[in-house]
Amino acid sequence: MFILRVHSVDSERPISIEEEESGFTYASKRAQPPLKLIQPSLKLTDRKGLIHLYRNSSHSSLPNPSSRSTTLFIVAVPNYLSSLDFIRFCDSRISQVSDILFIRNDGMEDRYSVLITFSDQSEADGFYNNLNGKKFAPSEAEVCHILYVMSVEHTEFDEVAAEAPTGFTELPTCPICLERLDPDTSGIVSTLCDHSFQCSCTSKWTYLSCQVCRLCQQQDEILNCSICGKTENVWACLVCGFVGCGRYKEGHSIRHWKETHHCYSLDLRTQQIWDYVGDSYVHRLNHSKIDGKSVEMSTSCLSHQGDCGLCECSEDTGISGAIFNSKVDSIVIEYNDLLASQLKGQRQYYESLIVEARSKQESSIAEAVEQIVVNTMQELQNKIEKCEEEKSGITEVNTKLIKEQDTWRKKVKEIEEREAALLGSKDEMITDLQEQIRDITVFIEAKKTLKKMSSDTDGIREGTVLPVPISAEPVSSVRRQKKSNRRK
C-alpha cells in the first residue's frame, strides 16, 4: 500500500496530442501506428514537482486485493521517451484511462514519473499485469516499474510533503534503488536482468540524478562519513543520499534516521540494505564471493505464470552456493562487528563507572572541603559578630564615661573654684583677724601706756609725736573702716 505526496508550486499544464505529434520523438525514428485508441475525454497534463513515495510499514508492498486501486504510479520513464512515446508504449491499454499526469523534476533530467488514473479496477489490473516489468524499448535497459497508489496529495510546502504519514516509511524514487530492495518492501516483483548493478547501462538512469547509484559506481574511491570523516563501515541513505558511518563507529547513519525518518540505508561495501524500523536486512541482491557479481537472494520465479523463461530460475548455476557463502560472510561480519561493539560498549561502560566513581569521590571531597570552609567561615562570622557586639558595648560605655568625665570635670572645676574662693575668704579672714588682734594689742598697749602716762603727765608734755608711714596708712585705715562697719 503506497501513498504519494508531490511538492509542487506550479499548476498542471495541459498537453496537446497534436503538438506532441508534430515534434521530434524517440518513436519518430521508426514508423508508428496512429493514436486511434485515445478517448477524447482523456486528460493529459504536465506538472513540475518533487515526489515523495511512502509505503505502509506493517503490510507487504506486493499487490493484493486490499492494496489495489485504480491509480497507478510509473516510478520512472527515461527522458528519451516523450509523452507521445509513452502513450504509444501503453498501446491498447490507454483506451480506458481517464487521466494521465506527467510529473517532472528539474533535478532529475534523466527521467520523469507518470501518474495514471483508470475508470475501472479490472482495466488497471490489466495494465499492471501487461506492462509491469516490461522494457520501454527492446534495445534499451530501462524497465517499467508500476505501483498501486492509494492516494495522491499535492502540496506547496516541502515540510508537509517530506513528513511521513503515521505508520508509513519513505521509499527512494530511483528505480535502481527500488530494485535493490526486496519485493515485500519495494513492491517490485522481479527484474529481467542484473544490469542495474553490473553493466554500464546503469549510467542511463543515474548519471544526472541518483546520488546513491553514483556512490555505488565509485568503487575505486574511498568514501567517508560526511560528519566525522571515517572511512570504515560507511552507509548511504537510499532516500536522500546522506553518507554516514555505522552504529559500530560514531553512529551518524542511525542519527540521520532518527532525525529524518529515512529508515533504509545501504552498506557501500557489501551493497546490503538495512531497515532501521524493521531492524533487519531488506536487500534483494548480495555480492557473490566467487565471481564478484551480484546475485538474487531468492531463486524462485516470481512470475504469475510460474516459469517466465527470462530469469533462469529453473537452472542451478551455482547461485545457491554463492548465496550461502554470502550469507555466512555477512553473518560473520555482523557477529564480529557486534562483538567489537559489545566490547567497546563494555569498555566505555566500565570507563564511565570509573569516571563516575572519581567524580563522586571528587565531589564528596569538594563537598567536605566546602562544608569545612562554610563551618569555619560561620565560626569566624560568629566571632566577628560577637566582637562587633562587644565593640558596640564598649563604645557605649566609653561614650557614657566620656559624658560622666565631662560632668565630673565641671564638678571638680566648681569645687576647685569654691575651694579657691573659700581659701581666699579664709585668707582675708585670717588677715582681718590678725589686724584686729594687732589693733587690740596696740589698743591694750596704748591703754597701758596712757595709764602709765596718766600718772606722769609731765612726760607727755615733754614727748615728741612721730609721723606714721603714708604707704601703710591707707590699708590699715581701709581695714579699720571695714571693721568699724562690720561692728556697726
Side-chain angles (χ1 to χ4, degrees), residues 40 68 116 124 161 219 223 262 307 330 359 392 408 429 442 457 465:
R68 293 181 301 163
I116 303 178
Q219 300 293 336
L223 303 176
H262 297 168
D307 188 1
S330 63
S359 63
S392 61
W408 284 109
M429 187 180 294
V442 171
T457 55
V465 180

Side-chain angles (χ1 to χ4, degrees), residues 167-204:
F168 286 77
T169 57
E170 187 170 2
L171 289 176
T173 56
C174 171
I176 296 178
C177 291
L178 282 176
E179 289 180 5
R180 298 176 190 273
L181 296 168
D182 59 15
D184 286 336
T185 303
S186 64
I188 297 177
V189 179
S190 63
T191 58
L192 296 179
C193 68
D194 54 3
H195 68 276
S196 301
F197 307 95
Q198 297 181 23
C199 305
S200 59
C201 60
T202 307
S203 61
K204 290 182 178 292

